Amino acid sequence: MRIVSLLPAATDIVAELGLAGHLVGRTHECDWPPAAVRSVPVVTGADLSQDEMSSREISDAVGGAAHSGSSLYTLDTEVLSTLAPDVVLTQDLCDVCAVSYERVSRAVRVLDTDTRVLSLEPRTLTDVLDCLVTVGDLLGVRERAEDRRAELLRRLDQVSRLTAGRPRPRVVAVEWLDPLWPAGHWVPEQITYAGGEPLLATPGEHTKPMTWEQVRDARPDVVLVLPCGFPPERTLREREALTSLPGWAELPAVRAGNVWVLDGPAYFNRPGPRVVRGAEVLAHVLHGVRVGAAVTDDEARPF
């Protein structure tokens, strides 16, 4: 089986199923597990150099006339053709997260092969875990996929049990800094499993920008900062995008020292199996509860 993954979460799923050795192509953003993907050929690129741009500049570029969603990404169809994949995994959930399903389908049609294209579109935690079985079924390892899903559900249940009966802090999760954007889809469920009350977004919701006044009026007990695509070090470079807002210091979360920067790409932004680890991380952040491995500074640190 020759697999090309055009979505980092799909690469995570392939690895979770023990099939990373079958990957013959990946995106420039696929980085997990490092040892398994490092030597896999890259078939995409990006028009923006995000490391050199602020959140506002990135947002303006994505929404500007020069780009329209996934036109931000390039797809090397010549390399794709050379790789001759049996399966291509892609998505049609977010226009600014990866190469779109439509573009991938067009590229595969040009190849004139029997390549199967599977689009993953999870919106909730259940959807994310079900994707394991969907991919596993296509790749011929359905039983293994069902076992992995059952284990991940067991871990989520453990998070819920260990945080049950505790006071539930009110939580705002920030998925983009400028403009401010609340984290929707599966993140509110991660917060709920970890013993918190999510604010400003509901499970499965494809959110839109929020005003600072909405955040301030919500008076969250905890603020989670997990920008899409930003590791913690990158997020901390733009701390002032939040700390300079009027009334920031008066937020209950700020006054109590309960503002956290998290590894968004690893555990919250991507709909892959590591969202379960994200819930475990939140159990530590919200209640000091350890579930699984101890939480490291790379996973969560004070903002």
Side-chain angles (χ1 to χ4, degrees), residues 274-293:
R274 289 192 292 163
V275 296
V276 173
R277 178 56 179 168
E280 294 173 345
V281 170
L282 290 184
H284 165 77
V285 166
L286 300 183
H287 296 291
V289 170
R290 176 173 172 175
V291 187

Side-chain angles (χ1 to χ4, degrees), residues 168-179:
R168 300 182 71 84
R170 303 168 72 252
V171 182
V172 166
V174 178
E175 195 169 62
W176 197 249
L177 298 174
D178 190 8

Side-chain angles (χ1 to χ4, degrees), residues 75 77 100-111 117:
L75 176 62
T77 55
S100 72
Y101 173 76
E102 181 182 354
R103 290 181 64 201
V104 174
S105 295
R106 287 200 306 266
V108 170
R109 283 198 297 270
V110 171
L111 299 183
V117 179

Side-chain angles (χ1 to χ4, degrees), residues 45-103:
D47 290 343
L48 297 180
S49 179
Q50 295 191 17
D51 283 344
E52 300 172 4
M53 303 172 70
S54 69
S55 293
R56 171 56 66 175
E57 289 171 336
I58 294 170
S59 182
D60 289 345
V62 168
H67 296 99
S68 177
S70 58
S71 64
L72 292 167
Y73 298 91
T74 59
L75 176 62
D76 194 327
T77 55
E78 290 187 11
V79 173
L80 185 64
S81 177
T82 301
L83 295 173
D86 300 305
V87 173
V88 176
L89 303 174
T90 184
Q91 63 93 41
D92 205 21
L93 179 66
C94 177
D95 287 341
V96 296
C97 290
V99 180
S100 72
Y101 173 76
E102 181 182 354
R103 290 181 64 201

